[in-house]
């Protein structure tokens, strides 16, 4: 059932912190839902050549879909019937901004591209991303515990090392699930030839920030942990390393990395692949 609507005149004020959490939840839902489409030649090429008329039609369709999805799910915990239209517009705006950031990080928006081509790419990629924003509440639920997935239940008593093993295993499983849908394609080696120092830094930062937002900001309850590798920052860093390792192994198995490849090429391939792998790993930590 869809989460209950609340009136904007709630007794509990909606703070800036709540707005930030809503925003992070929306971006997280967008990335989990649409990250494979960000790594797609056809989306880039079609976006660069599609007519303005068709772009406007796609935007209207996306806005209509977001309106329906936001009525039943949405990405804000405090919602009301009167704000569904506003939330649909916000979802599309978040999709546009997220698409711009991801395409910039992947080197698909450069001064060499015309403004018209860049706008087309952004708008076309923003459509599936905005849908991910609008179903974020269905993805993350409300007040659910990260470990049990149940409302109001305490997680089982587990040893620190058992919990760490669960996190690492779930990261690997979720990462492999996403990676095997992207690694066999030609997009990854193509992107690896396009990235520069800025792209490497941007992709690394996003591979840390997005999973952190998915796991620790998007709405799941967490039991504070003082054990090694169980704090938010240390867990995020360790799981990034697992995602990086998974990416290298998957790329090697699909023949993109060989023994004669230079270190520069290997690093570029691994960094490009680790973004979707880390997002899949973060989703795996929530679901497993």
């Amino acid at each position: 059932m869809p989460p209950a609507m609340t009136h904007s005149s709630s007794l509990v004020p909606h703070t800036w912190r709540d707005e930030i959490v809503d925003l992070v939840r929306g971006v997280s839902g967008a990335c989990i839902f649409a990250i494979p489409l960000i790594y797609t030649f056809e989306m880039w090429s079609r976006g660069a050549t599609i007519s303005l008329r068709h772009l406007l039609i796609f935007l209207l369709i996306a806005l209509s879909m977001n309106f329906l999805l936001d009525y039943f799910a949405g990405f804000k915990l405090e919602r009301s019937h009167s704000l569904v239209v506003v939330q649909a517009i916000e979802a599309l705006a978040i999709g546009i901004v997220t698409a711009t950031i991801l395409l910039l990080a992947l080197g698909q928006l450069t001064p060499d591209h015309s403004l018209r081509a860049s706008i087309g790419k952004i708008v076309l990629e923003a459509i599936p991303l905005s849908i991910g924003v609008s179903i974020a509440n269905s993805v993350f639920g409300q007040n659910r515990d990260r470990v049990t997935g149940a409302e109001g239940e305490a997680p089982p008593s587990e040893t620190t090392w058992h919990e760490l093993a669960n996190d690492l295993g779930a990261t690997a499983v979720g990462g492999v699930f996403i990676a095997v849908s992207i690694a066999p394609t030609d997009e990854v080696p193509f992107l690896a030839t396009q990235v520069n120092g800025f792209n490497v830094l941007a992709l690394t930062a996003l591979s840390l920030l997005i999973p952190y937002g998915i796991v620790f900001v998007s709405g799941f309850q967490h039991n504070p942990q003082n054990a090694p590798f169980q704090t938010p920052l240390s867990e995020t860093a360790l799981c990034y390393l697992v995602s990086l390792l998974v990416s290298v192994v998957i790329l090697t198995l699909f023949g993109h990395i060989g023994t004669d490849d230079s270190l520069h090429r290997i690093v570029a391939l691994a960094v490009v692949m680790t973004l979707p792998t880390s997002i899949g790993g973060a989703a795996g930590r929530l679901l497993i």
Side-chain angles (χ1 to χ4, degrees):
M1 293 180 64
M5 291 282 188
T6 61
H7 294 289
S8 57
S9 59
S10 174
L11 295 176
V12 180
H14 199 64
T15 66
W16 279 107
R17 184 183 183 280
D18 295 327
E19 290 291 342
I20 292 172
V21 171
D22 289 340
L23 175 61
V24 173
R25 186 186 301 108
V27 172
S28 299
C31 291
I32 290 176
F33 181 79
I35 193 64
L37 291 175
I38 300 295
Y39 284 68
T40 306
F41 273 128
E42 289 75 13
M43 291 290 283
W44 308 332
S45 60
R46 180 62 66 182
T49 58
I50 194 170
S51 68
L52 180 60
R53 180 169 63 92
H54 283 96
L55 275 181
L56 292 175
I57 292 173
F58 274 124
L59 281 174
L60 289 174
I61 293 173
L63 194 60
S64 301
M65 293 178 64
N66 284 320
F67 174 79
L68 293 174
L69 291 170
D70 285 318
Y71 184 86
F72 292 103
F75 66 98
K76 292 189 174 184
L77 292 183
E78 183 181 351
R79 303 166 58 236
S80 70
H81 291 293
S82 61
L83 294 178
V84 169
V85 174
V86 174
Q87 190 173 168
I89 295 172
E90 289 179 346
L92 189 56
I94 291 172
I96 290 172
V97 173
T98 304
T100 302
I101 293 172
L102 292 173
L103 290 172
L104 278 171
L106 289 169
Q108 290 306 298
L109 297 178
T110 68
D112 296 333
H113 298 112
S114 68
L115 180 61
R116 170 66 186 79
S118 297
I119 291 174
K121 288 182 181 182
I122 292 169
V123 170
L124 208 59
E125 295 284 12
I127 293 170
L129 286 167
S130 69
I131 293 173
V133 176
S134 293
I135 63 172
N137 277 339
S138 293
V139 174
F140 297 107
Q142 297 186 54
N143 299 321
R144 290 169 51 197
D145 186 87
R146 171 183 158 192
V147 177
T148 65
E151 296 187 10
E153 296 180 7
S157 176
E158 297 177 329
T159 65
T160 299
W161 293 109
H162 189 192
E163 291 175 350
L164 178 60
N166 284 344
D167 286 337
L168 299 185
T171 298
V173 171
V176 168
F177 179 79
I178 294 294
V180 295
S181 68
I182 297 175
T185 68
D186 293 329
E187 280 84 347
V188 175
F190 171 79
L191 289 170
T193 64
Q194 306 292 308
V195 297
N196 53 31
F198 163 78
N199 300 125
V200 170
L201 291 175
L203 288 169
T204 301
L206 291 174
S207 299
L208 290 164
L209 292 173
I210 295 175
Y212 180 89
I214 291 172
V215 176
F216 295 106
V217 185
S218 294
F220 276 73
Q221 295 176 348
H222 304 281
N223 290 331
Q225 298 284 348
N226 295 320
F229 305 116
Q230 291 300 117
T231 64
L233 292 180
S234 60
E235 182 181 322
T236 298
L238 187 59
C239 289
Y240 171 81
L241 294 177
V242 172
S243 300
L244 182 64
L245 178 61
V246 167
S247 298
V248 171
V249 171
I250 294 295
L251 288 169
T252 301
L253 291 175
F254 280 108
H256 291 312
I257 293 179
T259 55
D260 57 343
D261 285 327
S262 65
L263 179 61
H264 179 272
R265 173 176 165 78
I266 294 173
V267 169
L269 284 165
V271 169
V272 167
M273 190 69 243
T274 301
L275 176 58
T277 304
S278 65
I279 291 172
R285 281 147 68 196
L286 296 183
L287 299 174
I288 297 179

